[in-house]
Amino acid sequence: MFWSAALAADSTPRPTTLDDAQKSATNAAGWVEENWSTWLGIGLRIALILIIAFVLRSVVRRAITKLIERMNRTAQAVDGTALGGLLVNVERRRQRSAAIGSVLRSVASFLIMGTAALMILSALEINLAPLLASAGVAGVAIGFGARNLVTDFLSGVFMILEDQYGVGDTIDAGVASGEVIEVGLRVTKLRGDNGEIWYVRNGEVKRIGNLSQGWATAGVDVQVGAEEDLDQVRSVITQVGVDMAKEEPWNERLWEPIEVLGLDAVYLDSMIVRVSARTMPGKSVGVERELRWRIKKALDEAGIQLIGRPVEPDLQTDAPADPTATAAAPSALSNPDSPQSAAASPITPSAGSSATPSATVPPPTSK
């Protein structure tokens, strides 16, 4: 009770005189008068930093957006032409440019606003050394904890910037293969041959085989009889290639004249003629099917007969089957005069032996 009363007495406000209040107000006004210029300078500096940061960020983002729109307009201008098919399609360019634009805008905003924040803290005379050290430690910890995510992100950025593949390309990524339907910074989506969708992490891709860039080769094997005239076969196939190159849409898909390379193999009753053509990437399978169709019809009209593929060498049976291959090995028991057969024969009973069993002797009785 005593301590409570003492504390209550100490906490009660003491009356201040008019001179004390006047002195406190004079000191506060003098302190404000001495420091207002410093505060005003710091405020103006912070305002100027923010204005410059926002203006610079807006200008950079607008420049990036205009660059992306220009890339899309260029892709739309060549879409539907042979050059457009050689380069990239509109959807691929759109997704690639959108991803690149998103990355560039994010990086620009992070750098500009981060630099502005550090300059504002420096203007407030805050020591940045502990803050930077803590940020470095936190960055290292996050890097170790999410290293797979960071690896996927960086791999996706470089894949997009280097244009390794895009939407519509047929690629072999090692872990999966198929047509690219979406390219992201972390995951790439592929559609397989059977319609399945593969989600491939960009950091897991060690190699990329792009089957839709550059050019492709269509190869067809024509197997005819050994008695056919090779010059006539070559003439018929060459005329097929000339006629096919004049028609739509094969005149755009065939980039070079169809070439008869010559004999690929010679057998006793047949010959294989190799036909090749350089085509637009991703169109080789369709060209091969159309070429087989036309060659078959042209050879039938010319009276040249196609024959089937001969039996593979490892499946041929030149020697007749041995009828004794499944017979059992000879045995000594098959000969009745052999010692082994006599030893295995049952013993016959003698004539004087009796077949009746002997009487059982009763056990002796004790006296």
Side-chain angles (χ1 to χ4, degrees), residues 65-84:
T65 302
K66 287 185 176 297
L67 178 62
I68 299 305
E69 291 177 353
R70 183 177 180 181
M71 294 173 58
N72 291 334
R73 287 197 300 268
T74 304
Q76 293 176 0
V78 299
D79 184 40
T81 63
L83 181 61

Side-chain angles (χ1 to χ4, degrees), residues 189-210:
K189 293 172 63 175
L190 305 177
R191 185 176 297 278
D193 297 334
N194 297 324
E196 69 276 9
I197 296 180
W198 300 96
Y199 294 86
V200 181
R201 290 171 43 197
N202 295 328
E204 296 294 328
V205 178
K206 304 301 180 183
R207 62 169 179 82
I208 291 291
N210 197 325

Side-chain angles (χ1 to χ4, degrees), residues 7-241:
L7 291 175
D10 292 337
S11 61
T12 55
R14 296 179 180 179
T16 59
T17 62
L18 182 59
D19 295 337
D20 294 338
Q22 185 178 1
K23 186 181 295 186
S24 299
T26 303
N27 294 335
W31 183 76
V32 171
E33 184 178 359
E34 292 177 358
N35 296 285
W36 75 271
S37 59
T38 304
W39 295 346
L40 181 60
I42 293 175
L44 291 177
R45 188 181 302 175
I46 292 175
L48 182 61
I49 291 173
L50 291 176
I51 292 174
I52 293 176
F54 280 109
V55 171
L56 182 60
R57 176 175 175 269
S58 177
V59 171
V60 172
R61 290 174 65 91
R62 183 172 299 180
I64 294 174
T65 302
K66 287 185 176 297
L67 178 62
I68 299 305
E69 291 177 353
R70 183 177 180 181
M71 294 173 58
N72 291 334
R73 287 197 300 268
T74 304
Q76 293 176 0
V78 299
D79 184 40
T81 63
L83 181 61
L86 172 63
L87 297 175
V88 286
N89 54 36
V90 175
E91 180 63 19
R92 170 179 173 176
R93 289 293 293 267
R94 188 193 65 79
Q95 288 202 12
R96 177 172 176 261
S97 59
I100 294 176
S102 176
V103 172
L104 293 178
R105 283 189 289 266
S106 299
V107 171
S109 299
F110 177 78
L111 292 178
I112 294 173
M113 301 310 296
T115 304
L118 293 178
M119 293 177 66
I120 290 174
L121 294 178
S122 178
L124 294 175
E125 297 182 357
I126 297 177
N127 189 9
L128 299 179
L131 180 62
L132 295 178
S134 302
V137 173
V140 172
I142 294 174
F144 275 107
R147 58 184 181 273
N148 291 333
L149 182 61
V150 175
T151 302
D152 297 340
F153 180 81
L154 293 179
S155 300
V157 170
F158 283 108
M159 286 179 182
I160 292 175
L161 292 178
E162 296 173 0
D163 195 18
Q164 298 180 7
Y165 55 83
V167 175
D169 287 350
T170 301
I171 66 171
D172 181 3
V175 294
S177 60
E179 181 182 356
V180 180
I181 59 177
E182 184 177 343
V183 179
L185 294 177
R186 193 181 69 86
V187 175
T188 297
K189 293 172 63 175
L190 305 177
R191 185 176 297 278
D193 297 334
N194 297 324
E196 69 276 9
I197 296 180
W198 300 96
Y199 294 86
V200 181
R201 290 171 43 197
N202 295 328
E204 296 294 328
V205 178
K206 304 301 180 183
R207 62 169 179 82
I208 291 291
N210 197 325
L211 307 180
S212 300
Q213 287 184 353
W215 47 269
T217 302
V220 175
D221 292 334
V222 181
Q223 187 167 355
V224 298
E227 69 281 356
E228 299 293 343
D229 186 4
L230 289 177
D231 293 334
Q232 184 182 6
V233 173
R234 179 191 294 271
S235 176
V236 171
I237 297 177
T238 303
Q239 186 61 38
V240 168

Side-chain angles (χ1 to χ4, degrees), residues 241-317:
V242 172
D243 296 339
M244 183 175 175
K246 296 179 180 178
E247 300 179 5
E248 294 283 348
W250 311 111
N251 54 354
E252 293 185 358
R253 298 181 182 179
L254 288 172
W255 286 4
E256 289 185 0
I258 295 176
E259 182 181 3
V260 180
L261 300 180
L263 287 177
D264 192 65
V266 178
Y267 300 100
L268 293 177
D269 57 346
S270 63
M271 300 177 296
I272 297 180
V273 180
R274 182 71 173 177
V275 182
S276 177
R278 182 169 295 187
T279 68
M280 181 184 298
K283 304 298 182 180
S284 60
V285 177
V287 172
E288 290 176 356
R289 293 171 179 171
E290 182 67 19
L291 195 56
R292 291 190 187 98
W293 184 286
R294 292 172 179 261
I295 290 177
K296 175 65 170 61
K297 292 178 61 177
L299 292 180
D300 289 344
E301 293 176 358
I304 301 175
Q305 184 178 4
L306 296 174
I307 62 176
R309 184 177 296 275
V311 183
E312 299 296 334
D314 55 348
L315 300 179
Q316 293 181 356
T317 55

